[in-house]
Each structure stands twice: as C-alpha cells, then as structure tokens.
C-alpha cells in the first residue's frame, strides 16, 4: 500500500492511542514486518496482504483499549515462522540430527571413537546403515521434498516417503531397491538381515499438543495416534513386517518445531507404546527448535490478550468448535500459543489469531484453513 494510505489508515485505527513518536514507530515496524515476513502468509485471500488484514482485524475490536491490547500483542508477543526459517530447519535436519545418530551408532557397534568422523562416514558400515534407513513424513507439513533436495548426494529418492501409511506394494518396492543398491555397493549378495531396514526417521514440521502423534485413550484403554498407527502397520502385517528388522528396529521422531508441552506428552506415552507392541527398543524424539513453556500465554505474561480471548464478542463458538475440539478460545488443547506458521496458523494458537476469515462474528489476523471441517 502507498505510504500516505498506510499512514491514514493506521492513524484512524490507532492514532489517538499513541504519541506521535510511538505512532510513527508502530507504522514503520508493521510495514517492515509485512514486507519481510507477514505478507508471505499463504492463507490470506487473493489480493490481501498483511497491512490490509491487520486493519480489518483491528477494526473488529469494540473499543480503542481492546485495539491497543491487540496491537501491542502482535508487536511484542507474536511468533511468526517464515518460509526461509522453516526451510533452514528442514535442510539442517540431516547434518544436525540424523548424521550424528548414524555416526554414534557405527562408532558404538564398531568400537570406533565417535570423534573420528571422517573414518566413520567413509566406512562401508556407515554407508550400509544409511541405505538401510527410511524417512517418512508424518503429515503434508514434513516438507520431504525440501529434505530430500537438501541432501541429494546422501539419500536416495527411494528412501523418502511422503506419508507414514505404508502399503505392502510400496514396502516391497523399497526393499527391492535396497537389495539392488546394497548389492552394488558391497559387490555380493545380501544376507536376509542385510536386506531389511534397520532405522526409521519420522519427520514433521510442528507439534503443539502432541496428541495427534501419540496419546492414551482412557475410555478405550489403548494407545492411539500416528506413531502407534505406524507401529501397527509394521508389526501387525506379515507382508510389511518382513521388510523391517523388527527385533532391532530403531524409530526416531524428528520435529522441526515442537512445544515443551508436546514433547512431554509424546515422551510420556513411549512406555505404553512399548508395552502395546512388545518393543525392545523404544522410539526417540528429536527436536530441532523447542518452543518452551515460557511462550504459552497466561494472564501474567500476555498483557491483556488472554482477557480478549475470553471475551465472547471476539469468539464464534458455532463456527470454531466441533465435537473433536471443544472450546478453542485459547487454542486446541489449551495450548494458548502466539505462534503462526507461514503456510497455516496452528489451531493450538489463540483463536483471535486464526479464526476463519468468513466468520460472521470475528475473523482472525492470520485466518486458518482447517484440515478437517464438519459440513
């Protein structure tokens, strides 16, 4: 938007709330943040950019003090993860997390000091265990295409799969490629053990509550979630089970972004998962960037935004709630996050950030497109 239009719009909405110096500072701040980050939000409607959406959002608040609280929250508390920032986490996943796991495994098994990195990564044992590893996405946010392209000389295309729902046909194809590749590298036929996959890396972009990955259903008395579904497909289907070294299978869950709440929730269910599937080796969780509990919004640290979230004027229960979510004033699972991901705002963040754009009562600053919505 042109400078004079932005100036006039901001003054109409917020000018009386701030001194001339504060007003100019706010205008410049939001213009710069829009240019470098917020305009990249993928769920804005066609032709819409951040400044226009910000103005419409502020205009929904019923008085100037609520408007000031909302503006200060966006300026001081909002955590926005841009596309380049998330790409950096994805591209660093292999060198910073996966490679050290493989190096330490070979160092232990071959009795080599793990600081002798060059010797280990050039060994046939390292190359073999790398090829015996698979990389699965846990959702469409796993960005497996970025992960694969970031490591083209290291990981074969056949090792990366966009989903954790593995068919028998696909598993057989992966094993066939494994046999062919390893036979070429070793110059001989493989033993039965060598032709099975030893390690699974499960990739995803973000977890706030952890419940979709792993949870214990008290009413049914059993473990549920994506990770459990994967274990069931591996251990309960004979055709797929033969593709994996189930006795020694290592599973590493790698999340690019994860809250402390989700970390604790997922890890607390590992023992139940191990009991359910009689695992000898429990999975391990690795997080590239941890969002600790200090980011969770409370009455004490939110400078009034929690009170706005609790105001029914700014919450459309009929539009946002369903039988699966319950109240999401403070986000799904009461996570109360100030987090926005560039491709879609998580519903674990406070609802005034992500409420649907077409809501009759109140639309969010970064409207969310739901993955599942009742009709």
């Amino acid at each position: 938007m042109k400078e004079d239009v932005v100036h006039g719009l901001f003054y109409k909405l917020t000018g009386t709330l701030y001194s001339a110096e504060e007003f100019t500072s706010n205008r410049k701040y939001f213009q710069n943040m829009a240019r470098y980050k917020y305009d990249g939000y993928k769920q804005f409607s066609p032709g819409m950019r951040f400044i226009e959406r910000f103005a419409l959002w502020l205009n929904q608040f019923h008085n100037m003090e609520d408007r000031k609280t909302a503006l200060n929250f966006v300026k001081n508390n909002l955590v926005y993860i841009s596309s380049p920032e998330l790409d950096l986490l994805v591209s660093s996943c292999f060198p910073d997390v996966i490679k050290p796991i493989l190096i330490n495994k070979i160092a232990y098994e071959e009795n080599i000091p793990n600081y002798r990195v060059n010797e280990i990564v050039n060994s046939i044992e390292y190359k073999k265990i790398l090829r015996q590893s698979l990389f699965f996405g846990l959702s469409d946010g796993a960005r497996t295409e970025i992960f694969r392209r970031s490591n083209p000389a290291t990981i074969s295309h056949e090792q990366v799969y966009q989903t954790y729902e593995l068919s028998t046909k696909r598993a057989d194809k992966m094993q066939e490629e494994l046999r062919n590749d390893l036979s070429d590298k070793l110059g001989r036929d493989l033993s039965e053990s060598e032709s099975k996959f030893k390690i699974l890396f499960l990739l995803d972009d973000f977890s706030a509550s952890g419940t979709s990955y792993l949870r214990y259903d008290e009413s049914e008395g059993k473990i549920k979630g994506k990770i459990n579904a994967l274990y069931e497909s591996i251990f309960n289907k004979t055709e797929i089970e033969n593709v994996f070294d189930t006795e020694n299978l290592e599973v590493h869950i790698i999340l690019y972004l994860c809250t402390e709440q989700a970390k604790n929730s997922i890890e607390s269910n590992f023992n139940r998962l191990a009991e359910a599937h009689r695992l000898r080796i429990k999975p391990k969780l690795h997080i590239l960037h941890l969002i600790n509990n200090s980011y969770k919004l409370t009455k004490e640290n939110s400078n009034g935004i929690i009170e706005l979230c609790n105001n029914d004027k700014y919450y459309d229960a009929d539009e946002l709630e369903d039988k699966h979510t319950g109240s999401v004033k403070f986000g799904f699972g009461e996570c109360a996050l100030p987090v926005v991901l560039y491709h879609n705002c998580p519903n674990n963040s406070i609802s005034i950030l992500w409420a649907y754009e077409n809501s009759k009562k109140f639309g969010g600053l970064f409207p969310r497109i739901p993955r599942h919505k009742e009709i």
Side-chain angles (χ1 to χ4, degrees):
M1 297 177 71
K2 292 183 178 180
E3 190 83 11
D4 54 345
V5 176
V6 174
H7 185 93
L9 185 61
F10 260 67
Y11 188 81
K12 180 181 178 181
L13 292 168
T14 69
T16 60
L17 297 172
Y18 301 96
S19 67
E21 184 178 349
E22 289 174 325
F23 171 78
T24 300
S25 175
N26 283 338
R27 177 177 58 78
K28 289 181 178 180
Y29 173 81
F30 287 113
Q31 282 183 288
N32 287 332
M33 290 302 290
R35 184 179 300 115
Y36 292 111
K37 297 193 85 170
Y38 301 155
D39 279 348
Y41 186 64
K42 297 299 184 183
Q43 304 306 335
F44 285 144
S45 58
M48 182 73 68
R49 289 294 181 265
F50 173 75
I51 293 296
E52 296 96 320
R53 186 65 211 167
F54 191 35
L56 292 171
W57 185 68
L58 288 174
N59 198 45
Q60 297 174 104
F61 292 99
H62 289 218
N63 58 66
M64 295 296 275
E65 282 305 313
D66 286 357
R67 197 173 290 171
K68 182 175 183 179
T69 297
L71 185 148
N72 288 341
F73 161 73
V74 175
K75 185 175 182 180
N76 299 316
N77 298 90
L78 184 68
V79 178
Y80 184 97
I81 310 298
S82 68
S83 178
E85 289 168 334
L86 192 54
D87 283 352
L88 178 62
L89 292 177
V90 178
S91 61
S92 63
C93 179
F94 185 87
D96 290 351
V97 178
I98 295 171
K99 189 174 180 180
I101 291 172
L102 300 177
I103 288 173
N104 288 331
K105 179 177 178 62
I106 297 303
Y108 175 78
E109 292 179 352
E110 301 299 322
N111 196 28
I112 303 172
N114 60 7
Y115 59 80
R116 289 161 63 174
V117 174
N118 193 53
E119 177 183 347
I120 293 172
V121 298
N122 286 309
S123 69
I124 194 62
E125 289 80 11
Y126 177 86
K127 294 174 183 177
K128 186 163 69 170
I129 196 62
L130 176 59
R131 189 58 186 84
Q132 291 167 333
S133 300
L134 286 176
F135 306 88
F136 290 171
L138 287 171
S139 78
D140 55 5
R143 301 168 71 84
T144 52
E145 76 288 355
I146 302 295
F147 171 78
R148 183 173 55 83
R149 287 201 296 267
S150 299
N151 305 280
T154 306
I155 300 171
S156 166
H157 174 76
E158 289 77 17
Q159 290 176 263
V160 183
Y161 198 41
Q162 293 179 343
T163 177
Y164 63 97
E165 297 173 330
L166 190 62
S167 67
T168 302
K169 183 178 180 180
R170 181 60 179 168
D172 289 342
K173 179 66 174 176
M174 286 178 166
Q175 188 174 42
E176 181 184 348
E177 295 290 344
L178 170 64
R179 288 194 183 105
N180 293 336
D181 286 355
L182 269 189
S183 292
D184 289 343
K185 283 184 173 68
L186 299 176
R188 58 174 173 79
D189 292 336
L190 303 183
S191 66
E192 182 180 352
S193 175
E194 287 175 324
S195 64
K196 293 184 177 183
F197 291 102
K198 311 288 186 180
I199 305 180
L200 276 179
F201 293 98
L202 308 179
L203 312 174
D204 213 350
D205 60 343
F206 177 72
S207 180
S209 68
T211 55
S212 65
Y213 296 93
L214 206 58
R215 67 187 183 279
Y216 184 73
D217 190 313
E218 295 286 352
S219 62
E220 297 185 30
K222 64 180 183 180
I223 199 80
K224 290 186 173 182
K226 297 177 182 179
I227 298 168
N228 180 66
L230 175 67
Y231 272 95
E232 286 183 344
S233 71
I234 291 174
F235 288 89
N236 295 344
K237 293 182 180 179
T238 304
E239 301 87 351
I240 293 181
E241 182 180 359
N242 293 331
V243 175
F244 297 92
D245 181 3
T246 52
E247 286 294 316
N248 304 295
L249 184 65
E250 293 184 22
V251 175
H252 296 272
I253 305 149
I254 302 176
L255 300 177
Y256 310 139
L257 292 160
C258 182
T259 67
E260 192 172 347
Q261 177 179 335
K263 177 181 182 294
N264 294 337
S265 176
I266 294 170
E267 291 181 334
S268 70
N269 284 295
F270 280 165
N271 286 335
R272 283 196 173 107
L273 182 73
E275 291 172 7
H277 299 286
R278 299 176 182 175
L279 302 178
R280 191 177 71 83
I281 303 173
K282 290 188 288 188
K284 294 182 181 179
L285 177 63
H286 309 269
I287 299 164
L288 274 85
H289 184 77
L290 180 68
I291 301 172
N292 63 50
N293 285 335
S294 66
Y295 285 92
K296 185 170 183 174
L297 298 169
T298 64
K299 287 184 178 180
E300 291 70 31
N301 71 5
S302 69
N303 299 313
I305 200 66
I306 286 295
E307 284 75 6
L308 292 190
C309 292
N310 209 27
N311 189 331
D312 287 337
K313 295 177 183 177
Y314 311 133
Y315 180 71
D316 191 340
D318 293 336
E319 181 69 25
L320 302 183
E321 295 180 11
D322 61 38
K323 63 183 180 182
H324 303 292
T325 65
S327 174
V328 288
K329 285 183 178 180
F330 310 113
F332 179 75
E334 298 281 309
C335 291
L337 293 175
V339 175
V340 176
L341 304 182
Y342 80 95
H343 60 278
N344 210 13
C345 185
N347 67 351
N348 307 92
S349 292
I350 54 175
S351 64
I352 63 172
L353 276 179
W354 59 264
Y356 310 140
E357 188 172 14
N358 60 357
S359 175
K360 296 177 182 177
K361 197 171 185 180
F362 188 88
L365 176 58
F366 295 95
R368 170 180 170 80
I369 300 298
R371 288 181 178 175
H372 309 288
K373 194 173 188 298
E374 293 187 342
I375 298 175

